[in-house]
Amino acid sequence: MNKNASEVKEMLKNIKKEDIHFKKHFYDKQKEDRPYLNENLIIDSLRNISNFLGVQDQSKRNIEKYRIGIKLSNEYDLVVIIEIENKGLYIKTAWKTSRKWQKATQK
């Protein structure tokens, strides 16, 4: 069942830490080129819904999946890809993006 942005925010606000899991891809990317990422940064950012920039539904073939944009600072945003299975939340991947770079690509 797909959720709208407010339902995703509400679910994230109320989810227990033990129900949040990280997929292998997250750790692989962290080792390769994203050493700035850690589990606490992702969990804290997801729970702080006041910094949400947007939620995009990317669900397909019975997989409930969302792309979430979160403001980290005046310079950086965090993008997190999550999947919802049963009552668990799975972090598939995440990355920081520069707001300056985003604006340059929009021109």
Side-chain angles (χ1 to χ4, degrees), residues 22-107:
F22 290 79
K23 293 207 172 193
K24 183 181 180 303
H25 181 73
F26 174 83
Y27 296 111
D28 291 345
K29 293 304 279 182
Q30 181 185 33
K31 286 179 188 172
E32 287 175 25
D33 60 351
R34 300 175 188 162
Y36 53 83
L37 291 179
N38 63 57
E39 292 178 3
N40 289 331
L41 172 69
I42 304 299
I43 292 170
D44 293 344
S45 297
L46 286 173
R47 287 188 158 169
N48 187 4
I49 62 171
S50 62
N51 288 336
F52 272 39
L53 299 172
V55 177
Q56 181 183 38
D57 185 358
Q58 295 187 334
S59 301
K60 59 184 172 185
R61 286 189 242 121
N62 299 329
I63 298 173
E64 194 173 351
K65 185 171 152 183
Y66 300 93
R67 178 181 174 152
I68 301 171
I70 304 165
K71 180 178 179 182
L72 281 181
S73 67
N74 285 337
E75 191 174 336
Y76 292 103
D77 293 335
L78 178 68
V79 178
V80 183
I81 306 295
I82 66 168
E83 291 180 358
I84 301 170
E85 297 176 19
N86 301 322
K87 293 194 178 209
L89 174 74
Y90 293 84
I91 310 299
K92 189 167 184 180
T93 191
W95 65 90
K96 274 195 312 190
T97 182
S98 166
R99 296 172 142 233
K100 197 183 291 185
W101 181 82
Q102 286 175 340
K103 288 178 183 174
T105 61
Q106 289 175 353
K107 291 181 181 179

